[in-house]
Amino acid sequence: GALPLLVQNFRLSTYAAKSSVLGGKTTWSIDDLMAFCETLGDDQYLFSAYLNTDPENEESVPMQVMNLMLPYSLSAFIDETAGTCSFDDGRFASLLRFCMEAPILNAAEIDSETDLFRNDKLMLMEMRHFSDVSDYLQKKYYVFGGEDMTLIGYPTFDDAVTSGTAMVPDTMFGITKDSAVADGAWEFICRTFGDVENDHYYGHNGFSSARGALERTFAQEERSYYIFEENGWSGTTYDEDDEIDLSWMDEQIEMMGGVGVPGHMEPEDRDALMAIFEGDVLVAQNDETLMDMIREDASAYFAGAKSLEETVKVIQSRVSIYIAEHS
């Protein structure tokens, strides 16, 4: 009933925050996040999930918040080995209530999410599916403007979680147990996973799961200089044997009206990324049938058609049946 997959490339999803506002936290539970929200001022907001792009459908904001938080906490409610679930133990109700009480920001009134973050109006900056070093550096140098940055990640109900950053597999390979060409498929996998010098296999679609390919990527980034802006970057790569001339950066920033910010991969950037790669990461629950089931009943609560107690009871019943049938 399972298909093991080897991951060749992956992306990361997380939330970043100014280290100064987190009080030393590097990861947090959902209870921690809720307590953090209690400390915010009236003109401060947790994250951009509060932005409403559909003024006629305000219940879309609670659903956005739930969709961000629940996939990394589903395992806290489901015991697949026992074929049981515990959505009625109070924790899920507190999560739904938190989503329901989310403040709403009118997206049409927001000029720049980056400015809100820099001015401490938004506390968390989402880094969703970032796939290379430049994505990380753009947040550090442009969005954070040189302030210390913590990848606090997604909150969960699991106190044992040491990193809230989630891995999103990209290129994956597997062999079905009834494959008529299993030997050839295994030979192909061995060749592609073993050839870490081949950019055709490892030089695209995110970070490489092979250390050799990842080290080669880092070596290239150490020779790269960027000019970051709101929605992207412009940069150049020089050969390590050539003399470095960075005068073009000042000229280009001046041509951009002074809005560009220079950035470069430093040893501390490499260390921060390697700490994530070598540590524990979250993996989202991607059972869309189960998620759709929960969304269906939660949307009735968010729309005011069902009480919180009724919603939790229905979800507990429906998911119990589903888990029992699929365990």
Side-chain angles (χ1 to χ4, degrees), residues 48-57 60-61 64 104-108:
S48 58
Y50 293 158
L51 291 175
N52 184 23
T53 57
D54 184 4
E56 297 182 0
N57 183 25
S60 65
V61 170
Q64 286 172 186
I104 295 174
L105 281 166
N106 186 352

Side-chain angles (χ1 to χ4, degrees), residues 227 244-253:
I227 298 174
I244 306 171
D245 181 7
L246 299 179
S247 61
W248 67 274
M249 298 184 74
D250 294 332
E251 296 172 0
Q252 187 162 338
I253 290 174

Side-chain angles (χ1 to χ4, degrees), residues 13-30 32-33 36 124 148-156 158-166 272 275-276 279-282:
S13 286
T14 190
Y15 270 99
K18 295 178 182 178
S19 301
S20 59
V21 308
L22 292 176
K25 286 187 177 298
T26 57
T27 187
W28 51 6
S29 67
I30 288 179
D32 291 333
L33 179 139
F36 176 75
L124 301 179
D148 286 342
M149 177 176 76
T150 296
L151 301 187
I152 187 70
Y154 296 91
T156 73
D158 188 349
D159 292 335
V161 170
T162 57
S163 172
T165 296
I276 295 173
D280 296 329
V281 292
L282 300 175

